[in-house]
Amino acid sequence: MLFYKRRYHPISFSVEAARAGEHGRGFQVVAKEVKKLSEQTARSSNQIIDMIQIIQTESQQAVKSMDETYTEVTGGITIMNRAGELFRQIQHSVVELEAQIQTVSASSQQLSSGAEQTIMAMDTIFNVVEKSASATHNVSAAAQEQLASMEEIAASSESLSKMAIELQEINEKFKT
């Protein structure tokens, strides 16, 4: 009865079987098998414990790796969002620049048109000035001719006046 009070340990079975003698030989064979199974179970349990520890370590590494990956992905998303915002700002700047370029182009065309009109007006003014200069030259020449004619007329008038005085004097001589 001692057998039942003890814990079921393979060594206990062997000891009890040896005490039982002849009747315990069959029980001893069973006890040896139970002992072998117990040792195999202990080895398997140790292997399972080792495997569980390996799985736990690898799981912890996987969790750590996933946390690092999550952090990197979150950082990547933040960077991509910032890059998207920068691209939107660049696009907005390009649209504004295009509008400014169109405004400058229109102003440039207006300036070009104004410059052409100014050149045409200057050509017209030059032609008018040239004609005026020519007319002024002609007027000046005519004025000089008239002045010369007037000087001749004045000289002739003076000469006629002298002649008239002389004729009057001669006429007076005949009258007397």
Side-chain angles (χ1 to χ4, degrees):
M1 292 296 241
L2 236 150
F3 174 72
Y4 294 108
K5 290 184 182 180
R6 294 183 181 228
R7 292 239 180 226
Y8 299 108
H9 195 273
I11 296 174
S12 302
F13 288 130
S14 297
V15 171
E16 293 299 323
R19 279 192 205 168
E22 185 77 28
H23 297 293
R25 281 194 182 163
F27 186 69
Q28 189 175 13
V29 172
V30 171
K32 281 183 185 178
E33 289 300 316
V34 169
K35 181 180 176 182
K36 284 181 192 177
L37 284 173
S38 175
E39 289 171 353
Q40 285 178 349
T41 303
R43 279 193 304 268
S44 295
S45 293
N46 287 335
Q47 288 175 347
I48 290 171
I49 289 171
D50 289 344
M51 290 175 103
I52 288 172
Q53 287 175 344
I54 291 170
I55 290 171
Q56 285 176 338
T57 302
E58 289 179 358
S59 294
Q60 289 171 350
Q61 288 176 347
V63 168
K64 183 180 175 185
S65 176
M66 286 178 10
D67 285 344
E68 290 172 358
T69 302
Y70 176 78
T71 302
E72 288 177 12
V73 167
T74 303
I77 289 171
T78 302
I79 289 170
M80 293 199 48
N81 286 339
R82 179 69 179 139
E85 182 181 323
L86 290 173
F87 279 125
R88 282 189 292 280
Q89 288 175 354
I90 289 169
Q91 181 183 18
H92 180 72
S93 295
V94 166
V95 168
E96 285 181 354
L97 184 60
E98 181 182 9
Q100 290 174 357
I101 287 171
Q102 288 176 352
T103 301
V104 168
S105 177
S107 296
S108 180
Q109 288 175 351
Q110 288 176 347
L111 285 174
S112 177
S113 176
E116 287 176 10
Q117 289 175 356
T118 302
I119 290 170
M120 289 172 56
M122 288 178 71
D123 283 344
T124 303
I125 290 170
F126 180 73
N127 289 334
V128 168
V129 167
E130 211 172 54
K131 288 178 183 176
S132 294
S134 176
T136 302
H137 180 67
N138 290 341
V139 167
S140 174
Q144 283 179 354
E145 285 178 18
Q146 283 180 356
L147 182 61
S149 294
M150 287 175 72
E151 284 175 356
E152 283 180 29
I153 291 172
S156 294
S157 288
E158 198 175 309
S159 178
L160 280 176
S161 176
K162 281 182 188 177
M163 285 178 158
I165 291 174
E166 285 176 10
L167 275 176
Q168 247 183 357
E169 285 175 5
I170 293 177
N171 196 13
E172 289 281 330
K173 282 184 187 177
F174 282 115
K175 276 188 186 180
T176 28

